[in-house]
């Protein structure tokens, strides 16, 4: 069973930085890990879950316009981990951040493309 475990959330002031980490655990062969596309989504209170950043198994990345230039993905294949560096954080970035993964994706930032989800990690940015 594939499990996604997020970490790294917290509270920062506007302009600050945070790094989120998502590790795939469970029964997954490293070869299959490499075939998974992974993404970060976020959901603020009373708002829909939105795609923030994603990386396809072939290495292509996609970022939402709201985070482009501020968030960067890194995939550590040796550790089965997806990292997201977030800089210049804004209060609008406050949300629960979820990691997602799936071996077959076309629209990287669509939540309907992903069958595996983590429990989420909270990010709070104060002004």
């Amino acid at each position: 069973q594939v499990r996604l475990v997020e970490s790294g959330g917290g509270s920062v002031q506007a302009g600050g930085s945070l790094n989120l980490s998502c590790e795939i655990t469970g029964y997954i062969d490293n070869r299959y890990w490499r075939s998974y596309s992974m993404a970060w989504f976020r959901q603020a209170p009373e708002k829909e879950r939105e795609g923030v950043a994603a990386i396809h198994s072939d290495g292509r990345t996609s970022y939402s316009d709201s985070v482009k230039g501020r968030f960067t993905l890194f995939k550590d294949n040796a550790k089965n981990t997806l990292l997201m560096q977030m800089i210049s954080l804004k209060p609008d970035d406050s949300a629960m951040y979820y990691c997602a993964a799936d071996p077959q994706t076309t629209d990287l930032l669509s939540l309907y493309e992903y069958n595996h989800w983590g429990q989420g990690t909270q990010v709070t940015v104060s002004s």
Side-chain angles (χ1 to χ4, degrees):
Q1 182 178 355
V2 173
R3 289 183 62 235
L4 303 180
V5 181
E6 303 105 330
S7 61
S11 298
V12 295
Q13 291 191 326
S17 303
L18 281 173
N19 296 320
L20 301 186
S21 176
C22 174
E23 181 184 8
I24 288 187
T25 65
Y27 181 72
I28 180 168
D29 189 289
N30 188 261
R31 296 170 297 175
Y32 296 114
W33 147 253
R34 294 176 183 272
S35 71
Y36 273 64
S37 294
M38 297 187 71
W40 285 98
F41 289 77
R42 67 185 181 188
Q43 188 167 18
E46 301 183 357
K47 290 190 176 180
E48 292 185 354
R49 190 169 298 190
E50 62 172 349
V52 173
I55 183 166
H56 195 275
S57 58
D58 64 11
R60 288 178 291 121
T61 56
S62 182
Y63 297 90
S64 67
D65 289 341
S66 61
V67 307
K68 200 170 295 183
R70 299 188 297 121
F71 292 10
T72 307
L73 290 176
F74 301 93
K75 198 177 184 188
D76 187 337
N77 288 322
K79 297 182 179 180
N80 292 0
T81 298
L82 177 69
L83 305 173
M84 183 164 72
Q85 180 186 56
M86 306 186 296
I87 65 172
S88 303
L89 284 163
K90 306 174 182 179
D92 285 347
D93 294 319
S94 297
M96 184 70 79
Y97 281 70
Y98 297 91
C99 180
D102 202 272
Q104 297 181 356
T105 55
T106 52
D107 185 352
L108 286 174
L109 294 181
S110 170
L111 61 90
Y112 302 106
E113 297 279 339
Y114 297 89
N115 289 307
H116 303 286
W117 292 86
Q119 293 300 306
T121 184
Q122 179 69 39
V123 172
T124 302
V125 184
S126 57
S127 58

